[in-house]
Amino acid sequence: MARVLEAEEHHRLQISVQDDARRKCDTQRAELDRQYALFHPVRKVPLEILGHIFEMCLEGLSIDDFPGAEDSDILNRQRQPFDLAAVCRRWRSASLSYPRAW
């Protein structure tokens, strides 16, 4: 019986060590993702170009342009500037710098 208890305790310790290692790995992976994000190509696009892209994406949001659309579709289209501005600080700056996107 003592061997079984010893084996169970050893097993619990192994699981604890694995959980700690998994947490450390997840933390390192998240840190690596943050560092890779700094080199993403979209970060190299000038803010004025991003603003123009946002403006082109959001043209024609009039309700008259969507005669068969449901109210939820129209509301989703009208929320797009807010969704774009919520992506990150840089996109918020780009969208706010182009009032025609709003």
Side-chain angles (χ1 to χ4, degrees):
M1 186 67 174
R3 289 268 298 157
V4 171
L5 293 174
E6 183 181 331
E8 287 176 348
E9 181 61 30
H10 181 70
H11 180 68
R12 265 193 294 274
L13 287 173
Q14 286 288 345
I15 289 175
S16 175
V17 168
Q18 288 175 352
D19 288 343
D20 288 343
R22 193 172 293 123
R23 271 192 294 277
K24 287 179 184 177
C25 183
D26 291 343
T27 302
Q28 289 295 325
R29 188 171 289 132
E31 180 61 29
L32 190 60
D33 288 344
R34 276 192 292 276
Q35 290 176 2
Y36 278 144
L38 295 174
F39 299 106
H40 197 277
V42 78
R43 295 182 67 83
K44 296 175 186 171
V45 175
L47 289 180
E48 55 267 1
I49 301 297
L50 270 179
H52 285 299
I53 292 169
F54 296 163
E55 189 178 329
M56 287 188 299
C57 291
L58 302 172
E59 288 177 350
L61 291 178
S62 170
I63 292 176
D64 300 331
D65 294 339
F66 303 99
E70 296 179 14
D71 290 340
S72 63
D73 294 334
I74 295 168
L75 289 175
N76 284 338
R77 292 275 298 185
Q78 290 174 341
R79 281 193 55 222
Q80 283 180 349
F82 298 100
D83 293 340
L84 289 171
V87 170
C88 67
R89 185 182 318 152
R90 192 162 192 280
W91 283 36
R92 187 169 27 264
S93 296
S95 66
L96 290 175
S97 67
Y98 277 84
R100 287 185 287 175
W102 293 88

